[in-house]
Amino acid sequence: MEKSKFYLTLGLGVLAFSIIWIALVFLTIEGDIGTYANTPRTVPFFLGCCMAILGFVFLYQAKLGFRPKDPIQAIFDNEFKNITICVIFLLAYAFFLELLGFLISTPIAIFFLTRFILNEKGWKINFLFPVCMTGTIYVVFIILLNSNLPKGTLF
Amino acid sequence: MIESISAALVLMSSFEVMIAIGIGSFAGIIFGAIPGLTYSMALALMLPFTFTMQPVTGISLLLATYIGGMTGGSISAILIGIPGTPSAAATVADGYAMTKKGEASIALGTAVVVSTIGGLASLLIMVLLVDFISTFAIRFGPAEIFMLVLFGFSTICGLSERSLFRGLVAGVLGLMLMTIGIDDIEGVQRFTFGNVQMLQGVNLLVAMIGLFAVPHIFEVFHLRLNKEDKVNFDIGEIKTKLPGFDFIKKYFGLMLKSTGLGVSIGAIPGSGGPIAAFLAYSNAKNSEKDPVEKEKFGKGQVAGIVAPETANNAVTGGAMVPLLSLGIPGDPATAIILGGLLIHGLVPGPMLFIENAPQVYAIYMAIFVAYIAVFIFQVNFIKHIVKILAVKPHHLACGILVMVVVGAYAIRSSFLDVNVMIIMGLLGYFFNRIKLPVTPIVLGLVLGRTLESEYRTAMSLSDGSPIIFFSSVVSVLFFLLIVLTIALQIRKRMVEIKKNKLIKKEA
């Protein structure tokens, strides 16, 4: 993203978001803005308007030639790929957590993460680390602090 | 009062509370000491696990984490010249200079002692101020509370980051997210799209975990996968050398001034530790009359550690004043603590002292014990604590990843919460990339409900007349403060632009 286009992009993005939001206020929330400006629609509608005003402020700043103080870096292709891998891993871990519970899914997930995603080769990191991590969390939260950890549907 | 204090002592004396303070202090020091991790992240990770704890145990865990984090930031600032927290940035100049001269133990000892003194002194001031403000605030009606919350909100959006408008975008987005779910007053569904799980809206804890912890995981894993790992630091053997009584006598005046500064700045929503620390540092430097001593600032002057470390720890007491007496959090950390209080049914504000007096006194005691615990940890276990600086960032991120997924899932045993956490994490990561602040989103989520309910109650009372918001001196005063905050921010930006133009012209 070029420096000079930052406020233009931000302004257009904020404005588009506010228009969608205001449309949703009228399409999905029952009731009216009301005589007393005091209905479930009032605050969301007002917030949508505030967002639109901020969008116009950014567009005005773009017109004046404002530039952000710190340079904004573009999101690279491999960054998108790497973050997608992280998201898939988070979802998979949550799925197995629901299925197998904390004690079984956590060491397996950390092993998979360190060995195949983070590409660690040492046995300490691949085997000892997942077991120690799971054990530490279990001892701290279940034994010492009497808190809860997820139980699976199968175990 | 005596009854409440003895009840608080009973609450505090349980084994679980002491363990919670110990774990919180230690975790806070670790998260504070490691550059890249923040104590806000530690608090967000701890928060879901407090859900099933007793209120005092859960709040003690959070407070100890906050205090440990604020103090722990000085460790990396002194030893490697990188502040673990923004609040410790002012300590770097003299702290790291002392390390280079081979005086790291003295610098660490000084930081530990003055942090504890600053924190405990601010606790004393906090106890007095909270009581005083609460007595005054009990007379506030819905219009005054609305204006007060709006003032706190505008200050935080304006002061928390460099740009007021970017802060406001994030704040308004937080308020928008808060409106998702069932409307509290009329029970109408808003933005649920017929999904039953959406009726409860965006869970505050899930949003906090997503915004504060998940972006860090994305960043570290992305760097690792790109083979651009951040460096880890091997410090070696280190000890904490405590200063003697003469030291306290010599710097007593400076500590007193820095405490006053820290408490005052901490009490202003949106300012916080970094501002207090830098102001205290420059105050200490400017008030030094001896030119030889003044020259030593930045080159290993002990006063250069005393002033910022006392001030940034005194901020903790100051930030708790608006939080406990008015329900306004001063920074991200106190916003998370506010979330913790609300989970346990402790609604901050004047009524807190009437309805939950023993719990409030227990909170005061927890802060006191936490400072002692942090002191003990930093004096006795520093050589073990610094070893964590040598752990690779992606190994730490594995632990954080487990905590975020387990934390988000455990709140309601809901897969939807994990999805929401990931969405909030992506939002936080994207906001970090385009330099938009995430703190106002959390504040919007935390303060949004109060803002809407007080607005609508006030409008109902006045039959729809907005004049009610200007019908008392207090609400007019808060309104003027809101206008002043925004005007000052705009003026500051205009001055900066003019300056830049002048520099360009001259160049």
Side-chain angles (χ1 to χ4, degrees):
Chain A
M1 198 182 293
E2 264 179 56
K3 264 187 184 179
S4 56
K5 283 187 182 169
F6 174 75
Y7 280 104
L8 179 70
T9 318
L10 185 65
L12 288 174
V14 169
L15 202 59
F17 176 74
S18 67
I19 291 166
I20 296 168
W21 180 268
I22 291 170
L24 285 174
V25 168
F26 286 99
L27 292 172
T28 64
I29 305 176
E30 289 170 16
D32 203 346
I33 294 299
T35 326
Y36 294 159
N38 190 13
T39 72
R41 268 184 179 176
T42 313
V43 171
F45 174 72
F46 176 74
L47 292 172
C49 294
C50 286
M51 202 55 125
I53 292 168
L54 287 166
F56 282 118
V57 169
F58 291 130
L59 289 178
Y60 184 65
Q61 287 183 327
K63 197 185 162 204
L64 291 180
F66 276 36
R67 283 157 191 268
K69 284 174 196 166
D70 309 309
I72 313 289
Q73 287 180 332
I75 292 178
F76 304 108
D77 288 348
N78 62 346
E79 188 173 3
F80 186 75
K81 190 188 92 189
N82 293 342
I83 289 168
T84 309
I85 292 171
C86 288
V87 170
I88 292 169
F89 182 80
L90 285 168
L91 288 170
Y93 176 44
F95 174 75
F96 285 109
L97 199 65
E98 198 174 30
L99 206 66
L100 304 172
F102 174 79
L103 279 177
I104 297 175
S105 60
T106 304
I108 298 170
I110 302 177
F111 166 75
F112 187 83
L113 178 67
T114 51
R115 180 68 190 84
F116 299 107
I117 298 179
L118 300 176
N119 210 16
E120 290 279 2
K121 296 276 167 30
W123 68 271
K124 279 185 192 168
I125 288 296
N126 287 334
F127 296 100
L128 204 60
F129 179 63
V131 175
C132 289
M133 175 80 71
T134 312
T136 309
I137 293 175
Y138 186 83
V139 169
V140 168
F141 290 103
I142 296 289
I143 297 173
L144 293 176
L145 292 174
N146 227 352
S147 185
N148 278 347
L149 288 171
K151 287 183 182 123
T153 45
L154 294 183
F155 298 102
Chain B
M1 187 180 174
I2 292 171
E3 264 179 36
S4 300
I5 293 174
S6 44
L9 274 170
V10 173
L11 288 171
M12 274 296 294
S13 56
S14 81
F15 172 74
E16 276 174 24
V17 173
M18 291 301 152
I19 289 290
I21 291 176
I23 292 171
S25 307
F26 190 73
I29 295 171
I30 301 295
F31 274 73
I34 298 172
L37 301 187
T38 60
Y39 53 83
S40 301
M41 191 194 291
L43 283 165
L45 291 174
M46 294 282 185
L47 193 54
F49 297 100
T50 67
F51 212 68
T52 50
M53 292 177 195
Q54 291 295 315
V56 173
T57 314
I59 302 303
S60 300
L61 179 72
L62 296 177
L63 288 169
T65 309
Y66 177 40
I67 289 162
M70 192 61 101
T71 315
S74 63
I75 296 174
S76 51
I78 290 168
L79 296 177
I80 54 177
I82 303 170
T85 58
S87 303
T91 313
V92 170
D94 289 282
Y96 191 49
M98 284 179 80
T99 299
K100 284 199 272 191
K101 286 198 283 183
E103 294 169 355
S105 303
I106 299 169
L108 284 171
T110 305
V112 174
V113 169
V114 298
S115 296
T116 312
I117 292 173
L120 291 177
S122 79
L123 172 67
L124 191 71
I125 301 169
M126 176 193 107
V127 173
L128 299 172
L129 276 179
V130 165
D131 204 32
F132 173 73
I133 295 172
S134 299
T135 320
F136 176 68
I138 205 155
R139 284 170 242 155
F140 287 3
E144 285 85 5
I145 297 174
F146 172 77
M147 281 296 187
L148 167 72
V149 176
L150 200 63
F151 164 63
F153 187 70
S154 62
T155 323
I156 293 156
C157 290
L159 296 180
S160 63
E161 297 293 326
R162 285 180 188 172
S163 162
L164 170 74
F165 295 118
R166 289 199 230 173
L168 281 174
V169 164
V172 173
L173 184 67
L175 290 173
M176 285 173 154
L177 291 171
M178 176 279 305
T179 62
I180 297 171
I182 289 240
D183 160 47
D184 282 345
I185 296 173
E186 292 181 30
V188 171
Q189 291 184 29
R190 297 192 293 197
F191 311 106
T192 57
F193 305 103
N195 187 329
V196 182
Q197 284 189 301
M198 292 278 283
L199 291 177
Q200 292 183 343
V202 176
N203 188 290
L204 183 64
L205 308 185
V206 173
M208 284 178 179
I209 298 171
L211 289 168
F212 288 117
V214 178
H216 175 77
I217 298 171
F218 289 158
E219 191 191 328
V220 172
F221 284 176
H222 165 61
L223 291 174
R224 169 71 186 171
L225 291 169
N226 260 16
K227 300 189 185 345
E228 296 166 8
D229 298 20
K230 282 182 183 170
V231 284
N232 47 339
F233 307 93
D234 203 350
I235 306 292
E237 282 294 307
I238 197 89
K239 266 186 185 173
T240 300
K241 193 175 173 187
L242 293 179
F245 191 72
D246 287 351
F247 163 86
I248 293 172
K249 226 166 111 183
K250 186 178 174 187
Y251 292 107
F252 184 76
L254 182 60
M255 281 193 269
L256 208 66
K257 266 198 286 182
S258 305
T259 303
L261 205 72
V263 174
S264 330
I265 288 174
I268 302 168
S271 38
I275 299 175
F278 276 108
L279 277 178
Y281 183 86
S282 68
N283 177 270
K285 192 178 173 183
N286 295 334
S287 59
E288 180 59 66
K289 285 166 191 156
D290 185 348
V292 180
E293 289 294 314
K294 197 173 182 173
E295 191 60 30
K296 282 183 191 166
F297 273 89
K299 294 168 189 160
Q301 169 69 282
V302 176
I305 298 175
V306 174
E309 281 304 309
T310 313
N312 67 27
N313 280 276
V315 162
T316 53
M320 295 298 282
V321 174
L323 176 73
L324 291 176
S325 57
L326 304 167
I328 306 272
D331 54 23
T334 42
I336 299 170
I337 294 171
L338 173 61
L341 288 165
L342 294 174
I343 288 169
H344 292 289
L346 302 170
V347 182
M351 291 307 286
L352 182 69
F353 296 83
I354 296 163
E355 290 167 356
N356 303 93
Q359 279 83 355
V360 176
Y361 289 116
I363 287 172
Y364 294 159
M365 289 174 197
I367 296 175
F368 179 79
V369 179
Y371 267 108
I372 304 300
V374 169
F375 180 83
I376 293 168
F377 278 132
Q378 290 219 45
V379 172
N380 296 302
F381 303 110
I382 191 76
K383 64 178 176 187
H384 304 294
I385 290 168
V386 295
K387 278 181 187 155
I388 294 175
L389 289 171
V391 178
K392 286 180 182 167
H394 62 272
H395 293 162
L396 286 170
C398 290
I400 295 170
L401 182 141
V402 171
M403 296 273 286
V404 298
V405 177
V406 171
Y409 180 77
I411 295 165
R412 295 186 289 199
S413 296
S414 162
F415 201 68
L416 179 79
D417 282 342
V418 179
N419 293 336
V420 173
M421 177 200 75
I422 293 171
I423 293 168
M424 296 305 282
L426 288 169
L427 184 76
Y429 185 80
F430 179 66
F431 267 42
N432 287 344
R433 287 299 307 267
I434 61 167
K435 308 277 191 293
L436 281 177
V438 294
T439 308
I441 302 179
V442 174
L443 290 158
L445 280 161
V446 172
L447 297 175
R449 257 172 225 289
T450 317
L451 208 63
E452 184 176 16
S453 67
E454 297 300 338
Y455 164 78
R456 289 177 65 182
T457 312
M459 288 297 270
S460 296
L461 287 173
S462 69
D463 286 342
S465 166
I467 299 293
I468 191 168
F469 296 110
F470 306 96
S471 59
S472 76
V473 180
V474 176
S475 35
V476 171
L477 183 76
F478 283 129
F479 177 74
L480 291 174
L481 284 171
I482 295 166
V483 174
L484 190 73
T485 310
I486 295 172
L488 282 175
Q489 284 296 310
I490 294 172
R491 189 177 162 270
K492 196 179 145 198
R493 183 80 174 120
M494 298 308 272
V495 170
E496 275 175 21
I497 291 164
K498 272 185 188 171
K499 246 187 203 175
N500 287 344
K501 274 185 182 170
L502 268 176
I503 292 167
K504 269 184 193 171
K505 266 186 187 175
E506 280 171 16

